[in-house]
Amino acid sequence: MQKKLFYKIRLDTKNDIISKINLIHKYNTTIESIKNRKRYLNILKRFLKKHEQNLIKFINLEAHKTVDESKNEFNYALEFVDYSISTISSYEFEKRSSKTRKIFYKSSGSVFAITPYNDPLAGMIRKIAPSIAAGSTIVMKTSAHCIYLCKYIDKHLPKELKKIIQFLFIKNRKLIEKIVQNNHIKLVTFTGSTNVGLKLNDIKTKHLQKKILELGGINYAVIFDDTNLNNVIEEILIRKIKAAGQACSSINKLFVNNKIKKKFEKIVKEKVSKIVCGSVRIKSEPDFGPVISSGHYNFLKKLQKKSIKNGYLICESNSRNDTKNLFPLSLIKTSFNDEIFDNFETFGPLLGVSYFNNSGKVLQKISQSDYSLVCYLFTKNQKIINSSKNLNLGSIGINTTKIQSPGSPTGGNNLSGIGREGGIWGFEEFLTTVNYVIKK
């Protein structure tokens, strides 16, 4: 581990930004061949492995994840590089549709990527890797909460990769408009809140460009029966405290069949009582760390206070109180339709719990949500499982919360976004087609 991991960050000026965009545009042709794309991806993979320990440390320190969770994120980032290498090794970039017609698949052009703080490294690599695989150069702007990780990568990135990957360090949001409006930027990919995504989508440009928006979700989970209830509750709680609940696929509200209410509360109280939040900078690690900022902590406290007025606290995890912004995992009884958990993405360890009697009404409520990102359904009822296929959601987990992988498409519908990340579907978002016809 280097002694000086943290250093002063010099912010980019407008001229710096233009220079960086012009640079990647200049080297667009160097990434056209499949051979070069594989070479760049392998250089990226070797770079990540070489700096593994420092990168894990940055995730730990800036995203406030435990060391184990930081290691898992590093490995997840590597998987996206491996998947991209595998994809272009077998992908048909030239397909014949008839004797005289071919379809060519080529890069859409230079990419502007904006990533969040909750998965700082994996969030960047899941955009960089498919971009390179598609033959696109990229400029990257990450969250101010993980700016040192980004700066470290920028500082140590091999020279060959700096021709096709540039990092932007800005705080002025007006500069983001200028980047989107730059005519060299042909595709914008953003992961973050719906509010910011809508603003990005509204930026007026003098050229056409594609947008991939992976936005927020008010995600529901439903426990229909007591099948494997102990394991189901365990999995839901683990999913909820991942990244201290700061994940777009985290559960916002849990519906539980009223018939198993007593059994559910007995198990969940016992399990939550064993969960601890605390500082991730000590050897004896907690189950999860603090939320990202005092502003977000205060937001969660406000939601908690309002929700308890109309409900009650079912249970709360332990807190070591050894650092700032520690928000214990809190489960709050709420109504079927409520003002908080149906309208605000908590993005933290705050979970609403509602009990129901009618399974059909629960599924109807989920299907009518404007935030169609993901839901998790736990049941042995085949009729419910079959009907879930009709739900308008980006992802559906049946008896599991483990829905993500580099080979799977993620993203939502309606206010939860447009376009996909991951898998062949995410890779093809960076491509465009050429209809090539030869008359003989």
Side-chain angles (χ1 to χ4, degrees):
M1 183 70 182
Q2 294 183 356
K3 291 182 179 180
K4 287 189 176 181
L5 271 180
F6 291 87
Y7 29 77
K8 190 175 181 180
I9 303 293
R10 175 189 168 288
L11 297 179
D12 288 326
T13 64
K14 182 180 177 181
N15 287 336
D16 291 330
I17 292 167
I18 292 172
S19 295
K20 289 181 177 183
I21 293 174
N22 286 341
L23 178 67
I24 64 161
H25 178 69
K26 176 183 175 181
Y27 285 101
N28 257 332
T29 55
T30 67
I31 200 171
E32 287 180 352
S33 75
I34 306 301
K35 182 180 178 181
N36 277 350
R37 297 179 205 179
K38 287 182 182 178
R39 183 167 61 85
Y40 285 133
L41 285 167
N42 278 301
I43 293 171
L44 176 62
K45 183 178 179 179
R46 289 194 296 270
F47 163 75
L48 291 173
K49 285 188 170 183
K50 179 181 177 181
H51 295 270
E52 177 177 354
Q53 294 305 313
N54 280 350
L55 294 173
I56 289 171
K57 192 65 177 176
F58 272 114
I59 297 168
N60 171 240
L61 296 176
E62 287 196 283
H64 309 306
K65 293 186 176 183
T66 64
V67 172
D68 281 345
E69 193 171 357
S70 300
K71 288 177 180 177
N72 288 338
E73 183 182 333
F74 176 84
N75 291 330
Y76 191 44
L78 268 185
E79 287 178 28
F80 277 98
V81 181
D82 286 334
Y83 182 83
S84 293
I85 294 170
S86 174
T87 297
I88 60 173
S89 297
S90 58
Y91 192 80
E92 292 183 59
F93 288 90
E94 181 181 314
K95 298 179 183 179
R96 183 177 292 279
S97 61
S98 69
K99 289 182 179 180
T100 60
R101 188 185 306 274
K102 292 180 180 179
I103 309 299
F104 296 149
Y105 292 80
K106 57 180 283 188
S107 163
S108 294
S110 294
V111 174
F112 175 37
I114 307 174
T115 60
Y117 63 80
N118 55 310
D119 279 328
L121 181 64
M124 284 190 277
I125 301 303
R126 71 187 298 174
K127 295 183 187 293
I128 291 172
S131 178
I132 294 174
S136 300
T137 55
I138 184 169
V139 286
M140 171 73 63
K141 190 265 175 199
T142 190
S143 167
H145 293 297
C146 51
I147 198 168
Y148 288 104
L149 168 65
C150 188
K151 187 62 180 177
Y152 179 87
I153 295 172
D154 181 50
K155 184 178 179 180
H156 296 90
L157 201 66
K159 289 182 180 180
E160 284 184 282
L161 292 183
K162 285 191 175 183
K163 296 174 182 178
I164 61 170
I165 306 169
Q166 284 289 309
F167 291 90
L168 304 176
F169 302 93
I170 54 177
K171 286 186 178 179
N172 188 342
R173 292 184 178 180
K174 290 182 179 179
L175 290 177
I176 292 179
E177 284 191 21
K178 296 296 182 184
I179 299 165
V180 173
Q181 291 168 342
N182 190 295
N183 62 6
H184 291 325
I185 299 299
K186 305 301 183 184
L187 186 150
V188 176
T189 173
F190 168 77
T191 300
S193 71
T194 297
N195 183 44
V196 175
L198 290 173
K199 289 178 180 178
L200 278 172
N201 197 48
D202 284 342
I203 295 174
K204 293 181 180 179
T205 65
K206 292 182 179 180
H207 69 292
L208 298 176
Q209 72 188 180
K210 187 174 184 179
K211 291 188 174 70
I212 306 167
L213 305 175
E214 189 181 32
L215 308 180
I218 295 176
N219 304 319
Y220 297 110
V222 188
I223 304 178
F224 290 94
D225 48 60
D226 61 358
T227 306
N228 300 318
L229 186 59
N230 190 72
N231 293 337
V232 167
I233 293 172
E234 179 81 13
E235 184 165 339
I236 286 173
L237 295 178
I238 290 172
R239 170 68 265 186
K240 186 58 183 174
I241 63 174
K242 184 181 183 293
Q246 299 163 117
C248 58
S249 56
S250 183
I251 301 165
N252 217 59
K253 186 173 180 178
L254 173 63
F255 290 100
V256 180
N257 194 319
N258 200 39
K259 292 179 180 179
I260 59 170
K261 178 181 177 179
K262 289 184 179 180
K263 192 174 181 180
F264 166 80
E265 289 199 358
K266 180 182 178 181
I267 296 172
V268 81
K269 286 177 181 179
E270 181 183 350
K271 288 186 178 297
V272 170
S273 69
K274 297 175 182 178
I275 295 174
V276 179
C277 64
S279 172
V280 296
R281 301 190 182 192
I282 58 176
K283 288 184 177 180
S284 177
E285 285 198 317
D287 295 294
F288 67 98
V291 294
I292 198 67
S293 67
S294 58
H296 193 51
Y297 174 86
N298 292 333
F299 166 75
L300 289 168
K301 290 297 287 185
K302 186 178 179 180
L303 292 184
Q304 184 185 48
K305 185 178 180 180
K306 284 185 177 181
S307 59
I308 287 177
K309 280 185 178 180
N310 298 315
Y312 60 83
L313 182 68
I314 296 173
C315 54
E316 186 176 79
S317 70
N318 298 295
S319 174
R320 290 177 178 171
N321 296 314
D322 55 355
T323 191
K324 295 179 181 178
N325 305 322
L326 285 175
F327 196 98
L329 173 61
S330 305
L331 276 67
I332 297 174
K333 161 65 175 65
T334 188
S335 58
F336 188 83
N337 298 304
D338 74 278
E339 295 179 358
I340 303 301
F341 298 100
D342 287 331
N343 294 292
F344 295 93
E345 183 182 15
T346 60
F347 213 67
L350 180 62
L351 179 63
V353 178
S354 176
Y355 299 101
F356 70 92
N357 294 308
N358 190 312
S359 298
K361 286 185 177 180
V362 175
L363 291 174
Q364 184 180 32
K365 179 180 177 67
I366 293 171
S367 68
Q368 292 174 347
S369 174
D370 288 331
Y371 294 86
S372 307
L373 188 63
V374 58
C375 77
Y376 309 98
L377 309 178
F378 296 88
T379 182
K380 63 180 179 181
N381 188 312
Q382 194 59 47
K383 186 178 179 180
I384 292 173
I385 292 172
N386 291 338
S387 65
S388 69
K389 296 174 185 177
N390 298 319
L391 295 174
N392 181 30
L393 293 152
S395 297
I396 301 170
I398 304 296
N399 297 320
T400 184
T401 62
K402 298 177 177 67
I403 58 168
Q404 294 177 318
S405 76
S408 303
T410 58
N413 305 322
N414 299 326
L415 290 177
S416 288
I418 187 169
R420 293 293 180 261
E421 282 194 344
I424 197 70
W425 307 270
F427 165 65
E428 289 181 338
E429 293 281 4
F430 292 87
L431 298 174
T432 188
T433 58
V434 178
N435 177 28
Y436 189 77
V437 184
I438 301 176
K439 183 178 180 181
K440 293 183 178 180

